[in-house]
Amino acid sequence: MPTAAIVVDVVRLEEQMLLKALGEYMNVNMVNVRSRALEIGIDGFDAAVIRPISMYRAAYTAASFEAAGVFTVNSSQTIMTAGDKLLAYTQLAAARIPIPRSFYAADVDAALEAASRLGYPVVVKAPVGSWGRLVSRADTPEELEQLARMRQELPCSQTRSMIIQEYLDSGSSDIRCIVVAGTLLGCIKRVAQNGEWRSNVALGARTEVYKPDPVLEDITVRAAAAVKGFFVSIDVFEDDERGYLVNEVNGVPEFKGFYRATGINPARRLAEAILEELKH
Amino acid sequence: MPTAAIVVDVVRLEEQMLLKALGEYMNVNMVNVRSRALEIGIDGFDAAVIRPISMYRAAYTAASFEAAGVFTVNSSQTIMTAGDKLLAYTQLAAARIPIPRSFYAADVDAALEAASRLGYPVVVKAPVGSWGRLVSRADTPEELEQLARMRQELPCSQTRSMIIQEYLDSGSSDIRCIVVAGTLLGCIKRVAQNGEWRSNVALGARTEVYKPDPVLEDITVRAAAAVKGFFVSIDVFEDDERGYLVNEVNGVPEFKGFYRATGINPARRLAEAILEELKH
Amino acid sequence: MPTAAIVVDVVRLEEQMLLKALGEYMNVNMVNVRSRALEIGIDGFDAAVIRPISMYRAAYTAASFEAAGVFTVNSSQTIMTAGDKLLAYTQLAAARIPIPRSFYAADVDAALEAASRLGYPVVVKAPVGSWGRLVSRADTPEELEQLARMRQELPCSQTRSMIIQEYLDSGSSDIRCIVVAGTLLGCIKRVAQNGEWRSNVALGARTEVYKPDPVLEDITVRAAAAVKGFFVSIDVFEDDERGYLVNEVNGVPEFKGFYRATGINPARRLAEAILEELKH
Amino acid sequence: MPTAAIVVDVVRLEEQMLLKALGEYMNVNMVNVRSRALEIGIDGFDAAVIRPISMYRAAYTAASFEAAGVFTVNSSQTIMTAGDKLLAYTQLAAARIPIPRSFYAADVDAALEAASRLGYPVVVKAPVGSWGRLVSRADTPEELEQLARMRQELPCSQTRSMIIQEYLDSGSSDIRCIVVAGTLLGCIKRVAQNGEWRSNVALGARTEVYKPDPVLEDITVRAAAAVKGFFVSIDVFEDDERGYLVNEVNGVPEFKGFYRATGINPARRLAEAILEELKH
């Protein structure tokens, strides 16, 4: 019987579902990375499901296990790429997956130049950060300059970096799909509250099932592959002219809302896929 | 004639040497990433040499160019992996390249646990950061706890993460080698000043030529390959019992001191290697 | 009947006690400073009890009310002085109140110089910060240099500043006294847990009643006056040779532990003292 | 002959002028606070001119000297009050000196409430910070909310605090006056560059002499007194209806531009005023 670690910093409903699902197929240890150190290149698990909320904790945990040949879901590379919107966009673009038109801007002047090429309004994002934090919309060069200048006062070099992006009037909704081991499990649609243009559940968005068509299935499966993701969620916008655009990939996906809306248990599917993988 | 970009945020001697060397073989543009935005997936160069001092600027620039199929030195993946000591160690360990014994510790308790397994003194490092900043030595659990607690007050989640590492009494010296396109160009030895245990040139270390033996050549070429580096410098310690240990890989290498000590011009070698690469 | 505001950012047991006690003598409004803006120079209260946990929120709230002639407990000047250990020490020293021997050190070199004059071990503190955070002990110059260098990486200029202080082996206990309107209400003694040299309740210290002698009464009443405090708590160490030394003054005092140990209700005493003050 | 310290972290033209001027009347030591620790309550100067650029270094140096009875210019209280725009406004308002209409806002909701009472556009400022950094203008609630949300990501609690202020269309000019020992030395006018609404010299404003009328003289002398300043510069706006409004007081004043424009040497006047003070 294989042994697996579920690595956490905080235990949410998702981690309890994973513990139950994996426990039906293998010996499982819950490892809290805040109190346990990981020796690089030394560890005795067959697989590790990486669940820390902090992206760096997740990536460093995955990397430490990988150095010892453990099969990690996801790999450190996937966590680092998906967790960084700019790296994710570049991998998606390289794989010819449609994304919103986006620029990398290192500083205030570059941000203004990007916006002058895009036209206003523009969205300004940091490459890292969750739940809509550090995402703004600038309607004029004056507003963009102020937001960009303020951002340069932030202490982390990664959050001073900016993605300047076209503003998509997608009816304030987006679609979230979950892919496990190359198969699309299903999709939900998140609809923002009145007056809020960001469709984050943390900002009050509500959730309903969304039936994917073959185009969406193709895009999401290819998006997961573009970031080498074994178990990822993918956020998609619908654009009237261009169709589906991938906006974000998540390498440590939350799936509580997905499970409630669809009845599909991603933890169970993941457990089966890991078992299958370990057989090879 | 191919066209190349040299991307900078600050122009140092190294970038002037690169401009001169590349200019003999191709059309070269110096691009300042602070004022120029890069559209993801759109850009018209054949190659790009990535030189921003800030790791994230370097990685994001490389990624933006890669999305458009430009050959970048180094790739964003190399810059992100080499620029992060923890990710670098895990890639090196996975490739069976000897490294100092190292743990990933997410928080104070994990740091203490790692040190109790290693024995004191231990070295405490942040995964990112240059020139010896955020590198400390702890001689006792009390000292380690204080350093680790202080680190949790830092604002960036990446610098709160810790590498806990054995302390190597390497005579306060280390060897730096430069590898271009799979070939070792040469090595220098940096000797720390009296009373300073860290061998950073920024902390006053001096530099002399070091003739590599076949073992060192093998290790450094494999280390460059482990991080998929086209043009990297590699820092190596000598241990009395275990021989060479790779301590660090740099994906945006400085080479002024190397050039002065050895007379070998890495910019010239790099220009030739890029030209060769573009022929394929 | 006078009207008073209790200004909060978080409501703790202390604020509920204040609401009850003040409510017996005046009309009271609980004002949450996170949602209500204060116009400078304009506001209609007779008195304001300032309770935000954040020192700056407390000081700015007090200052905004003072500009309109409101009687504030404490004044912004008291909150800023008491909330900053370095400013507090200098006011106490100017008033000839005994304090631990202490230096202000702006940077690493100054810290080392201070310690060479004091002798090791030394305590290193930031001027601001609560509950023992950013308080360290350095046993050697090497340890001090590392702690001081690390501190220079902190993002706020105030927490990069250092107090270098003699280490007092006070049996890991200290005395906390509460003074209201020039009168000492009583004292408690906090005894640190085994193995922990800092006597913070947040770090597990326990609490017992301590009967003040006339010397302690004199020192604490004068310490409150030195920072112009109307309602303050004062932390005192006992030194075998020098007797009482004032270590800290708190301008937004917690008093839950004091009330439990002594049965004396500082909220009630404060309400009476404010009513008395408003009569003048 | 008295002895004086000039305390610096960086030596600018101003400090050289002070060294020359004070040297004609007393023995002067230039003290670099980065390498010299100051023992609280112990130091052998008659006077200290406090010049560190960092506000906290300035305030802590002043406080350390004051504890030993040294006459400091300025006092720590003046430096802390003047260096903090919010504390300065409240002291000015309490002294009935006209200021721009201003609110203290601790968080996003409070900022929006303040602006709804003021009307748009509003100016958003941090209490601390120099040269126009962290000063923004918001034209709509959407823009204000974004700027206020972004500010909550800043690492220092003081810069997360906000002053919400009426926007004054003062023709993008302001008047800077210098007061020494209760006497107005003179004023200059700073005119912002085209297209820039902030009149900071660091942002390219130019400078001309401005002859003060009795109203301006009265306001500036009273403003200096309101913050207990011995040597301060005072920034004044002109409003069509309300006349002069004091916008800022500086407790470690730069005076290079003032000297160039007016020919009046504040260093000389200060030296004479300190000598006079020491006679008492």
Side-chain angles (χ1 to χ4, degrees):
Chain A
M1 203 180 200
T3 59
I6 299 174
V7 189
V8 298
D9 51 8
V10 173
V11 179
R12 298 165 292 183
L13 181 61
E14 276 93 343
E15 284 70 40
Q16 292 166 350
M17 290 172 70
L18 285 164
L19 183 63
K20 183 160 183 296
L22 287 164
E24 293 180 19
Y25 303 100
M26 38 199 122
N27 297 315
V28 187
N29 278 75
M30 188 83 89
V31 173
N32 189 324
V33 77
R34 298 190 63 175
S35 54
R36 174 155 168 202
L38 301 175
E39 181 159 8
I40 293 169
I42 313 277
D43 236 305
F45 294 99
D46 297 299
V49 180
I50 310 296
R51 298 294 306 174
I53 294 174
S54 152
M55 181 185 79
Y56 289 107
R57 285 184 181 162
Y60 291 150
T61 303
S64 300
F65 279 113
E66 286 160 11
V70 177
F71 175 65
T72 61
V73 176
N74 284 301
S75 70
S76 60
Q77 196 188 333
T78 296
I79 292 168
M80 290 291 281
T81 304
D84 184 305
K85 295 177 185 70
L86 206 141
L87 295 180
Y89 283 139
T90 59
Q91 295 303 305
L92 294 167
R96 306 266 170 254
I97 295 162
I99 58 169
R101 201 181 161 203
S102 305
F103 290 74
Y104 162 54
D107 210 332
V108 179
D109 288 344
L112 290 166
E113 194 227 342
S116 73
R117 287 157 69 184
L118 271 175
Y120 288 87
V122 295
V123 174
V124 190
K125 289 178 179 175
V128 294
S130 303
W131 307 297
R133 281 171 58 213
L134 293 175
V135 180
S136 312
R137 186 177 68 193
D139 293 336
T140 64
E142 289 71 29
E143 186 172 1
L144 176 59
E145 192 192 338
Q146 295 199 122
L147 288 165
R149 275 201 301 117
M150 185 84 71
R151 219 177 251 281
Q152 300 316 302
E153 305 291 329
L154 293 173
C156 305
S157 114
Q158 214 165 356
T159 44
R160 285 195 297 271
S161 304
M162 290 172 277
I163 299 169
I164 307 294
Q165 192 170 70
E166 63 177 324
Y167 174 71
L168 293 169
D169 188 2
S170 62
S172 298
S173 76
D174 70 359
I175 300 162
R176 168 165 288 190
C177 305
I178 291 186
V179 173
V180 175
T183 302
L184 176 61
L185 290 197
C187 301
I188 57 173
K189 189 165 189 174
R190 298 182 300 174
V191 183
Q193 283 194 316
N194 283 345
E196 172 59 58
W197 60 277
R198 292 162 300 164
S199 56
N200 297 70
V201 172
L203 297 171
R206 65 185 169 73
T207 282
E208 56 195 41
V209 179
Y210 182 87
K211 193 171 155 40
D213 61 21
V215 175
L216 182 57
E217 182 167 3
D218 173 68
I219 281 180
T220 53
V221 168
R222 288 199 296 125
V227 301
K228 301 189 170 63
F230 192 84
F231 172 45
V232 293
S233 70
I234 296 160
D235 292 354
V236 180
F237 286 150
E238 280 185 278
D239 183 69
D240 288 346
E241 291 171 23
R242 289 170 290 175
Y244 297 114
L245 303 175
V246 174
N247 186 48
E248 203 170 323
V249 183
N250 197 319
V252 186
E254 300 182 0
F255 52 79
K256 193 173 55 182
F258 177 92
Y259 175 56
R260 283 186 184 147
T262 64
I264 301 167
N265 182 348
R268 181 162 207 94
R269 300 295 180 92
L270 179 62
E272 292 162 356
I274 290 172
L275 196 68
E276 192 62 29
E277 186 74 21
L278 292 180
K279 285 182 187 157
H280 299 321
Chain B
M1 202 180 201
T3 60
I6 299 174
V7 189
V8 297
D9 52 7
V10 172
V11 179
R12 297 164 293 181
L13 180 61
E14 276 92 344
E15 284 70 41
Q16 292 167 349
M17 289 172 70
L18 285 163
L19 183 63
K20 185 160 181 295
L22 287 164
E24 292 180 20
Y25 303 99
M26 41 199 120
N27 297 315
V28 187
N29 279 74
M30 188 84 87
V31 173
N32 189 325
V33 77
R34 300 189 62 175
S35 53
R36 176 158 167 199
L38 301 175
E39 181 160 5
I40 293 169
I42 314 276
D43 237 303
F45 294 98
D46 297 299
V49 180
I50 310 296
R51 298 294 305 173
I53 294 175
S54 152
M55 182 186 81
Y56 288 107
R57 286 184 180 162
Y60 291 150
T61 304
S64 300
F65 279 113
E66 286 161 10
V70 177
F71 175 65
T72 60
V73 176
N74 282 304
S75 70
S76 60
Q77 195 189 337
T78 296
I79 292 168
M80 290 291 281
T81 304
D84 184 304
K85 294 177 187 69
L86 206 141
L87 295 179
Y89 282 138
T90 59
Q91 295 303 305
L92 294 166
R96 305 264 172 257
I97 294 162
I99 58 169
R101 201 179 161 202
S102 304
F103 290 75
Y104 162 54
D107 210 332
V108 179
D109 288 344
L112 289 166
E113 194 227 340
S116 74
R117 286 158 68 186
L118 271 175
Y120 289 88
V122 296
V123 173
V124 190
K125 289 178 179 176
V128 293
S130 304
W131 308 296
R133 283 171 55 214
L134 293 175
V135 179
S136 312
R137 186 178 69 194
D139 293 335
T140 64
E142 290 72 28
E143 187 173 0
L144 177 59
E145 191 192 339
Q146 295 200 121
L147 288 165
R149 276 201 301 118
M150 184 84 70
R151 218 177 254 280
Q152 300 315 305
E153 305 292 328
L154 293 173
C156 304
S157 110
Q158 215 166 359
T159 45
R160 285 196 296 271
S161 304
M162 289 172 278
I163 300 169
I164 307 294
Q165 192 171 70
E166 63 177 323
Y167 174 71
L168 292 169
D169 188 3
S170 62
S172 298
S173 77
D174 71 359
I175 300 162
R176 168 164 288 188
C177 304
I178 291 186
V179 172
V180 175
T183 301
L184 175 62
L185 290 199
C187 302
I188 57 173
K189 189 165 189 173
R190 299 183 299 175
V191 183
Q193 282 194 315
N194 283 346
E196 173 59 58
W197 59 276
R198 292 163 300 164
S199 56
N200 297 70
V201 172
L203 297 171
R206 67 187 168 71
T207 281
E208 55 196 41
V209 179
Y210 182 88
K211 194 171 156 39
D213 60 23
V215 175
L216 182 57
E217 183 167 0
D218 173 68
I219 281 180
T220 53
V221 168
R222 287 199 295 126
V227 299
K228 300 189 172 65
F230 192 82
F231 172 44
V232 293
S233 69
I234 295 160
D235 291 354
V236 180
F237 286 149
E238 281 184 277
D239 182 70
D240 287 346
E241 291 170 23
R242 288 170 290 174
Y244 297 114
L245 302 175
V246 174
N247 186 48
E248 201 171 324
V249 183
N250 197 318
V252 186
E254 301 182 0
F255 52 80
K256 194 172 56 181
F258 177 92
Y259 175 54
R260 282 187 186 146
T262 64
I264 300 167
N265 183 347
R268 182 161 207 98
R269 301 294 181 91
L270 179 62
E272 292 163 359
I274 290 172
L275 196 69
E276 192 62 28
E277 186 74 22
L278 292 180
K279 285 183 185 156
H280 300 320
Chain C
M1 204 178 198
T3 61
I6 299 174
V7 190
V8 298
D9 51 8
V10 173
V11 179
R12 298 165 292 183
L13 180 61
E14 277 92 344
E15 284 70 42
Q16 293 167 349
M17 289 172 70
L18 285 164
L19 184 63
K20 183 160 183 296
L22 286 164
E24 294 180 20
Y25 303 99
M26 40 199 123
N27 297 315
V28 187
N29 278 77
M30 188 82 89
V31 173
N32 189 325
V33 78
R34 299 191 63 174
S35 54
R36 173 153 170 206
L38 301 175
E39 182 161 7
I40 292 169
I42 314 276
D43 236 302
F45 294 99
D46 296 300
V49 180
I50 310 297
R51 298 295 304 175
I53 294 175
S54 152
M55 183 187 77
Y56 289 108
R57 285 184 180 161
Y60 291 151
T61 304
S64 300
F65 278 115
E66 285 160 10
V70 177
F71 175 66
T72 61
V73 176
N74 283 303
S75 70
S76 60
Q77 196 189 334
T78 296
I79 292 168
M80 291 290 280
T81 304
D84 184 305
K85 293 176 188 70
L86 206 141
L87 294 179
Y89 282 139
T90 59
Q91 295 304 306
L92 294 166
R96 305 267 172 253
I97 294 163
I99 58 169
R101 201 178 161 203
S102 304
F103 290 75
Y104 162 54
D107 210 332
V108 179
D109 289 343
L112 290 167
E113 194 227 340
S116 73
R117 286 158 69 185
L118 271 176
Y120 289 87
V122 296
V123 174
V124 190
K125 289 180 179 175
V128 294
S130 303
W131 308 296
R133 282 172 57 214
L134 292 175
V135 179
S136 312
R137 186 177 68 193
D139 293 335
T140 63
E142 289 71 30
E143 186 172 1
L144 176 58
E145 192 193 337
Q146 294 199 122
L147 288 165
R149 276 200 301 118
M150 185 84 70
R151 219 176 252 281
Q152 300 315 303
E153 306 291 329
L154 294 172
C156 305
S157 112
Q158 214 165 359
T159 44
R160 286 196 296 272
S161 303
M162 290 172 277
I163 299 169
I164 307 295
Q165 192 170 71
E166 62 177 323
Y167 174 70
L168 292 170
D169 188 3
S170 61
S172 299
S173 76
D174 71 359
I175 300 162
R176 167 163 289 189
C177 305
I178 292 187
V179 173
V180 174
T183 301
L184 175 63
L185 290 198
C187 301
I188 56 173
K189 188 164 188 174
R190 299 182 300 174
V191 183
Q193 282 194 315
N194 283 347
E196 173 58 59
W197 60 278
R198 292 163 300 165
S199 55
N200 298 70
V201 172
L203 297 171
R206 66 185 169 75
T207 282
E208 56 196 43
V209 179
Y210 183 86
K211 190 170 159 42
D213 61 21
V215 175
L216 182 57
E217 182 167 3
D218 173 68
I219 281 180
T220 53
V221 168
R222 287 200 296 126
V227 300
K228 301 189 170 64
F230 192 83
F231 172 44
V232 293
S233 69
I234 296 162
D235 291 354
V236 180
F237 285 150
E238 281 185 278
D239 183 68
D240 288 345
E241 290 170 23
R242 287 170 291 175
Y244 296 116
L245 302 176
V246 174
N247 186 48
E248 203 170 322
V249 183
N250 198 318
V252 185
E254 301 182 0
F255 52 81
K256 193 173 56 181
F258 177 92
Y259 174 55
R260 283 186 184 149
T262 63
I264 300 168
N265 183 347
R268 181 162 207 95
R269 301 296 180 91
L270 179 63
E272 292 163 357
I274 290 173
L275 196 68
E276 192 61 28
E277 186 73 21
L278 292 180
K279 286 183 186 155
H280 300 319
Chain D
M1 204 177 198
T3 60
I6 299 174
V7 190
V8 298
D9 52 7
V10 173
V11 178
R12 298 165 292 182
L13 181 61
E14 277 92 345
E15 284 70 41
Q16 293 167 349
M17 289 172 70
L18 285 163
L19 183 62
K20 185 161 181 297
L22 287 164
E24 293 181 19
Y25 302 99
M26 40 199 122
N27 297 314
V28 187
N29 278 75
M30 189 83 90
V31 173
N32 189 324
V33 76
R34 298 190 63 174
S35 53
R36 177 158 165 197
L38 300 175
E39 181 161 6
I40 292 169
I42 314 276
D43 236 303
F45 294 99
D46 297 298
V49 180
I50 309 296
R51 298 295 304 174
I53 293 175
S54 151
M55 182 186 78
Y56 289 107
R57 284 183 181 163
Y60 291 150
T61 304
S64 300
F65 279 114
E66 285 160 11
V70 177
F71 175 66
T72 61
V73 176
N74 281 304
S75 70
S76 60
Q77 196 190 334
T78 296
I79 292 168
M80 291 291 281
T81 305
D84 184 304
K85 294 176 186 69
L86 207 141
L87 295 180
Y89 282 139
T90 59
Q91 296 303 305
L92 294 167
R96 306 265 171 255
I97 294 163
I99 58 167
R101 201 179 160 202
S102 303
F103 290 75
Y104 162 54
D107 211 332
V108 179
D109 289 343
L112 289 166
E113 194 228 340
S116 74
R117 286 157 69 186
L118 271 175
Y120 288 87
V122 296
V123 173
V124 190
K125 288 178 179 176
V128 293
S130 304
W131 309 295
R133 284 171 55 213
L134 294 174
V135 179
S136 312
R137 186 177 69 194
D139 292 336
T140 63
E142 290 71 29
E143 187 173 2
L144 176 60
E145 191 192 338
Q146 295 199 119
L147 287 166
R149 275 201 303 116
M150 185 83 70
R151 218 177 253 281
Q152 300 316 303
E153 305 292 329
L154 293 173
C156 304
S157 111
Q158 215 166 358
T159 45
R160 285 195 297 271
S161 304
M162 290 172 277
I163 300 169
I164 307 295
Q165 192 170 71
E166 63 177 325
Y167 175 70
L168 292 170
D169 189 3
S170 61
S172 298
S173 77
D174 71 0
I175 299 163
R176 169 164 289 187
C177 305
I178 292 186
V179 173
V180 175
T183 302
L184 175 62
L185 290 199
C187 301
I188 58 173
K189 189 165 188 173
R190 299 182 301 173
V191 184
Q193 282 195 316
N194 283 345
E196 173 59 56
W197 60 276
R198 292 162 301 165
S199 55
N200 297 69
V201 172
L203 297 171
R206 67 185 167 72
T207 282
E208 57 196 40
V209 179
Y210 182 85
K211 195 172 154 37
D213 60 21
V215 174
L216 182 57
E217 183 168 1
D218 173 68
I219 281 180
T220 52
V221 168
R222 286 199 297 125
V227 299
K228 300 189 171 64
F230 191 84
F231 172 43
V232 293
S233 69
I234 295 160
D235 290 355
V236 180
F237 285 151
E238 281 185 278
D239 183 68
D240 288 345
E241 291 171 22
R242 287 169 290 173
Y244 297 114
L245 302 175
V246 174
N247 186 48
E248 202 171 324
V249 182
N250 197 318
V252 185
E254 299 183 0
F255 53 79
K256 194 172 56 181
F258 177 92
Y259 175 55
R260 284 187 184 145
T262 63
I264 300 168
N265 183 347
R268 183 162 206 95
R269 299 295 180 92
L270 179 62
E272 292 163 358
I274 289 173
L275 196 68
E276 192 62 30
E277 186 75 19
L278 292 181
K279 284 183 188 157
H280 300 320

